[in-house]
Amino acid sequence: MRKYFKNIYLGFSTIWIGMMITLKHLLFYKNITIQYPEQRLQLPERERNRLYVNIDDCIGCDQCVRACPVNCIKIETIKAVPGDKVGKTGETSAGKKKALFVPKFTIDFAKCCYCELCVFPCPTVCIYMTDVFEFSEFQRNDLVYDFTDLTKEQAEEKRKKAEEWALEMQKKKEAAAKKPPEKKVPLKPETNDKNKSDESPDSKSDDKPSKDS
Amino acid sequence: MEQFLIDTFGDNILTYIIMPVPVLIFLSLFALGAVLAERKVSAYMQDRYGPNRVGKGILQTLADMIKLFQKEDITPAKADKLLYNLAPFIVFTATFMGYAVIPFCSLYIGADLNIGIFYFLAITSLSIVGILIAGWASNNKYSLFGAMRAVAQIISYEIPTALAILIVVMIAGTLSMQEIVELQGGGILNWFIFGGPGGATKYILLPFLFAAFMVLYISTLAETNRTPFDIPEAESELVAGFHTEYSGMKFAMFFFAEYGQMFAVSAIVATLFLGGWQSPFGELIPVLNTPVAQIIWFILKGCIFVFVQMWLRWTLPRLRVDQLMILCWKYLIPVSFINLFAVGLYIVL
């Protein structure tokens, strides 16, 4: 019998304690929700978000591509003809001469794993992490960002120029040294092509899983 | 109100169609407000903000309602079509019919039956049928579980509810709602929680009436299937209980009925124990006794109880089935019987 009344008492008193706690929260406590789009938390110092490429500083060295563990960066380069300026000044901001046009510099952020490995090898510090982390898209293709400063026509023009120049050089060399014609001749265009042929199978094999997944 | 309508339109069906319309309008507005209030109360109790986007949050329930209107009306392939579609209407109708005997003010009551409170008990029990039908016709184990739990729970808690109400009825000597409220006129001390009208000896009854008030409040809370007695809906174990399969407007009907029930039982508690539409100041301030003020008093009292229901909901965890039954059969019912004897003894002497 005593236990019975004690139970009733305990029931009411504990409910009362609980209700007072919730009432206190209802009336006096500050709401701690962060009203996200308007109100943001400060990002940590070493956050890793979307990459940005300052193409003016890019020398097309391909280091970031090699560093990338998921192959999400793709670069094509064209050799600059002597006298042709790459970019506006032909130099990086640090004063290094740029010898390659970069007609294609894409980063697929659908694949990017935000490891920051591409940032460290960059000799001109032109690829770096920004604090942008809200860039969702409706189409996966929209996540492929192109950073190049050349239009397609410009790129085509530069490519033609480079080929012509390569041919010219080849002819010159043929003319200059008639003795070793076979060995050195195919080397020149091949290096130019090699970049592409290195790229194209790579990019094809990369594209497939991205469509599947 | 009824007499006025009969005088204007004649004693025909039009009168009886117009009669419940104010209640329906009130109920819709109340449901809109209460859903928002519930979300806000829960949010602030958990140190959140709750809905604050659609029209600063005020229009959130309206937006939700529009969304529910647009939703696809799904009937499961293996469901019993007729019963499945019927169930939400039975539940809502039963809830709404209970409002017939709730006195909103001295001039407005749907029907001042001489068996008012008895009618309320009987008609709200009808919603069990709707719930059981919903659970059975959905052809879903969660629904059936929820429905069976709901039925077991509501039928168990009918008993303490009826016993607690009986105490007030014994003191008042009438079942008519309007008369019960009128008896409590003349200030806060004449409310039935303080023993109703009578001499100084009525204060002997105070502990019993207070106990009866608590019993009634707890058991009506259980009858509306709200936390801590929400085992029929038990989100964490039964998905949504008896309305798991319902979508769109049929779901909205259940929701509407739940909030309607919340106010109905709060109104009954307020009517029986807290003087219904009577002003707590009695005749001291006559302005507060006009019909408009009476409506405000009544809704205010109802809303206070609704708030306490929400408050409890966001404070207490859900009871287990056995705990639920222990609370009902071992605590509420014996206590109400003792109350009944004590009050009966007082009346006889």
Side-chain angles (χ1 to χ4, degrees), chain A residues 33-84:
Chain A
T33 316
I34 289 149
Q35 297 291 301
Y36 161 61
E38 289 99 46
Q39 200 185 342
R40 284 152 193 273
L41 282 179
Q42 208 191 345
L43 289 167
E45 211 177 305
R46 292 166 65 178
E47 92 258 292
R48 302 201 303 261
N49 301 308
R50 192 170 74 185
L51 285 162
Y52 181 72
V53 178
N54 184 2
I55 200 72
D56 289 340
D57 275 2
C58 180
I59 55 169
C61 65
D62 229 23
Q63 300 243 38
C64 47
V65 178
R66 267 173 247 151
C68 184
V70 291
N71 284 340
C72 70
I73 308 177
K74 283 188 195 96
I75 296 184
E76 271 173 26
T77 49
I78 301 168
K79 273 204 165 177
V81 183
D84 203 357

Side-chain angles (χ1 to χ4, degrees), chain A residues 4 7-8 12 15 18-20 22-23 25-26 29-33 35-38, chain B residues 41 44-45 47-49 52-53 214 218 307-308 311-312 314-316 330-331 334-335:
Chain A
Y4 183 81
N7 276 347
I8 294 176
F12 277 106
I15 286 171
M19 283 174 83
M20 279 304 116
T22 41
L23 190 70
H25 278 264
L26 176 70
Y29 278 58
K30 226 183 133 195
N31 300 333
I32 54 164
T33 316
Q35 297 291 301
Y36 161 61
E38 289 99 46
Chain B
V41 166
Y44 275 83
M45 279 179 179
D47 297 345
R48 297 182 285 115
Y49 283 102
N52 63 354
R53 293 292 147 130
M214 293 309 282
I218 293 168
F307 169 72
V308 177
W311 186 7
L312 278 167
W314 297 104
T315 304
L316 299 178
K330 282 170 79 175
Y331 291 91
V335 167

